Amino acid sequence: MSSPQVEARVDLGAVAHNTRILCDHAGDAAVMAVVKADGYGHGAVECAQAALAAGARELGVTTIAEGVQLRNAGIAAPILTWLNTTDADFAAAIRAGLEIAVPSVAHLRAVALAAQHIGRQAMVSVKVDTGLNRNGTSETEYPPLLAELSRLVAGEVVHFRAIFSHLARADEPHHPVVNYQRDRFTAAIAQAKDAGLQPELVHLANSAATLTRPDLAFDLVRPGIAVYGLTPVPDIGDFGLRPAMTFRSRVALVKDVPAGGGVSYGHEWIAPHDTVVALVPAGYNDGVLRALGNRFSVWVNGRRYLNRGRICMDQFMIELGPGNDSVSEGDEVVLFGNGTRGEPTAQEWADLLGTIHYEVAGMPRGRTERTFGYTR
Ligand SMILES: *Cc1c(COP(=O)(O)O)cnc(C)c1O
């Protein structure tokens, strides 16, 4: 069988390696590997299994459906779901044994109703807003939420597990906002204890905080992006992380283009001399964004080659140059990888596109086939 025309190759050995690095940084705190958004585009189930085998103890996802998918794959580890509308299928979450984060009284009541309806206790955690002003209980709603939670815990409708919060500027480890959020977080924990509620654990740190602010590890850390080997703080360092994904294709055709020949739609590039080009069968429908056109390069057989002309839905061209004798049909074309061989990285794409590698990791799509390997 030939290898796929467009492939997102995920090295689960890299996921394991990165998890071990995160466990080292976490110290005594447990590691929750965040596998939301299909494991940041790397495959939630496979990455979850690799991270758990390498020392992660829990998993984090946004939606109930993501958590149920992990359970259906046979994963027994604790799973926290933290972003749901109030009409989400909380009964399914309770049946799957998911820990449910509640950011409001309305969410808590919806979870409690589902628990009563199916006759099973729900496990809930409180997500408090400490300054991100996104998901999480506001300061004003926190006291009524604690009161409602106390009532439901006393009635054994819900089991209270954790208090957690999320940082707004963790990628600037010494920004005063980080300490401000830490202080609000510890105050929120004290407030819960004053209300007679004792969390089993509390947690605050994402990847950036796990790697740069060990003082914020509390009982557990929640790294996402670093599990996949992308540093959350490129200006500070890579901490020995290994990017897990290689996005690649294969040369479909090598051909001559005469001087003056326009290449691809609109003839945006015109060959200034007789040259040789190669056709790569990956296009914007596969996640090679059109905005990269004429601005990016790929790696083939140890060298970089520039894209020439517009990126199309299913394909784009690269220039091999006059007298090419080093690239043939079928050769591997690396779009981005871990950079060790000189290939482009997700960070390089992010810089070209004016975004962050978190977004680039999720770009491979369309006909891209995800495959897995394991490098030690
Ligand atoms: C996405 C997310 C994380 C992980 O963030 P990274 O920056 O990828 O480490 C942790 N906690 C919450 C609540 C999140 O939404």
Side-chain angles (χ1 to χ4, degrees):
M1 224 188 68
S2 63
S3 46
Q5 289 200 165
V6 198
E7 181 181 11
R9 180 88 176 161
V10 176
D11 180 0
L12 296 173
V15 171
H17 165 86
N18 300 328
T19 303
R20 287 190 292 268
I21 287 178
L22 290 160
C23 288
D24 285 348
H25 282 269
D28 292 337
V31 170
M32 170 187 285
V34 176
V35 295
K36 65 191 182 190
D38 199 13
Y40 291 48
H42 292 68
V45 168
E46 292 82 357
C47 291
Q49 287 163 336
L52 290 167
R57 296 241 288 274
E58 310 205 5
L59 300 171
V61 295
T62 50
T63 65
I64 292 167
E66 290 175 315
V68 168
Q69 184 204 5
L70 298 170
R71 279 282 181 266
N72 288 345
I75 293 173
I79 301 171
L80 171 63
T81 163
W82 59 62
L83 180 53
N84 294 288
T85 51
T86 50
D87 62 354
D89 191 354
F90 291 117
I94 298 164
R95 283 199 190 93
L98 306 182
E99 173 188 344
I100 305 163
V102 291
S104 77
V105 173
H107 284 82
L108 178 56
R109 289 204 174 125
V111 173
L113 261 180
Q116 284 162 327
H117 186 72
I118 65 169
R120 276 180 64 172
Q121 248 190 24
M123 193 186 329
V124 301
S125 290
V126 174
K127 190 164 202 276
V128 287
D129 195 323
T130 53
L132 178 59
N133 292 308
R134 199 180 66 177
N135 193 9
T137 315
S138 67
E139 257 178 325
T140 47
E141 192 163 350
Y142 192 50
L145 177 64
L146 292 176
E148 183 72 2
L149 184 58
S150 299
R151 202 177 64 73
L152 292 166
V153 168
E156 296 186 353
V157 179
V158 306
H159 174 88
F160 174 43
R161 183 147 194 257
I163 297 177
F164 72 108
S165 188
H166 196 41
L167 296 166
R169 307 185 72 156
D171 52 345
E172 302 163 83
H174 303 294
H175 196 284
V177 161
V178 179
N179 290 344
Y180 165 80
Q181 286 198 260
R182 171 201 60 200
D183 295 345
R184 274 187 61 181
F185 185 56
T186 51
I189 296 162
Q191 217 176 325
K193 289 181 179 166
D194 289 346
L197 287 161
Q198 181 65 47
E200 289 170 13
L201 71 165
V202 299
H203 45 98
L204 179 64
N206 60 358
S207 295
T210 301
L211 294 167
T212 64
R213 290 290 305 261
D215 58 310
L216 302 182
F218 293 94
D219 301 311
L220 175 145
V221 294
R222 299 189 311 271
I225 196 76
V227 170
Y228 310 99
L230 299 172
T231 174
V233 283
D235 297 339
I236 299 178
D238 68 10
F239 301 89
L241 299 167
R242 264 166 46 198
M245 186 191 290
T246 301
F247 188 26
R248 65 188 185 184
S249 181
R250 292 189 309 131
V251 173
L253 178 68
V254 174
K255 69 197 277 184
D256 296 330
V257 172
V263 169
S264 194
Y265 292 135
H267 285 173
E268 265 173 26
W269 186 75
I270 295 175
H273 42 241
D274 289 352
T275 190
V276 179
V277 297
L279 171 65
V280 182
Y284 55 77
N285 186 60
D286 308 302
V288 187
L289 298 204
R290 199 168 175 279
L292 290 165
N294 288 300
R295 302 172 56 217
F296 83 124
S297 64
V298 300
W299 183 97
V300 191
N301 297 339
R303 263 198 60 188
R304 295 273 196 119
Y305 295 95
L306 286 167
N307 163 231
R308 299 297 199 189
R310 276 189 202 154
I311 294 170
C312 311
M313 184 180 285
D314 315 295
Q315 52 200 300
F316 66 90
M317 308 300 294
I318 55 176
E319 186 187 9
L320 303 176
N324 160 69
D325 59 2
S326 45
V327 174
S328 315
E329 283 147 13
D331 285 352
E332 177 191 34
V333 176
V334 179
L335 300 160
F336 64 75
N338 68 17
T340 52
R341 298 181 294 175
E343 70 269 48
T345 59
Q347 180 66 50
E348 196 173 316
W349 274 37
D351 293 342
L352 285 170
L353 291 166
T355 182
I356 53 176
H357 52 40
Y358 286 74
E359 190 176 11
V360 174
M363 282 178 188
R365 59 177 186 249
R367 296 161 307 165
T368 305
E369 286 181 45
R370 189 187 288 133
T371 62
F372 297 95
Y374 198 103
T375 311
R376 259 168 228 290

